[in-house]
Amino acid sequence: MTTPDLIIFDNDGVLVDSERLSNRIFAALLTEAGLPTSFDDAVDRYMGRRSSDCVVDIEAQLGRSLPADFLHRYEHECASVISTELTTVDGVTDLLDALDDNKIPYCIASSGTPDEIALRLRTTGLTDRFGDRVYSGSMVARGKPAPDLFEYAAERMGFSPESAVVIEDSPAGVTGAKAAGAHVIGHADLVDPQRLVDAGAHVVVSGMGQVRSLLSI
Ligand SMILES: [Mg+2]
């Protein structure tokens, strides 16, 4: 792989190890709301998408509205766990150091809200690494798996999506990044590697150390 102009990181499951925590809570709240959902179901169907898009999907399955405070409760319960238990994904700090050393710009494109992203970065000490180079699904019309957020992030960073590498852990994110024209590295953690390949990942890794090797940095 030639050295890219830009690295676009997904946040949850790529930079920070939040998906185990948030999908556990999401599955429990959905089950309580009348849609029996296991942890694996939650990962399979909702991971990587905006919460607001998930609600539309869930309400269609239920045939009725979720309680008005559903997303507020989810965000509140996630925040209390994430603010105490969240860690970075192994190898992230070394990868960011290597990108800095090689003067390769990088940013975040996350389906989370700006508040959710900020909490995760603050808890794991990554805030200053990204500064204002943080782009949220709330900033674009269509969330992942649409390409909008990746196109927006690349444009704001001054590059074309085609010259960027995107690192994603969800099929929704991989699909969106591929549709934007980026080169996609899949991070297989909670999802089977083949699903990321099927969604369009050019290569799949199981850890951030392998990303350094791929980028030759
Ligand atoms: Mg993710």
Side-chain angles (χ1 to χ4, degrees), residues 10 12 19 168-169:
D10 174 46
D12 297 285
E19 295 292 8
E168 264 288 354
D169 69 316

Side-chain angles (χ1 to χ4, degrees), residues 167-191:
I167 309 175
E168 264 288 354
D169 69 316
S170 71
V174 169
T175 300
K178 178 83 183 300
H183 189 91
V184 189
I185 298 175
H187 175 227
D189 184 7
L190 296 183
V191 168

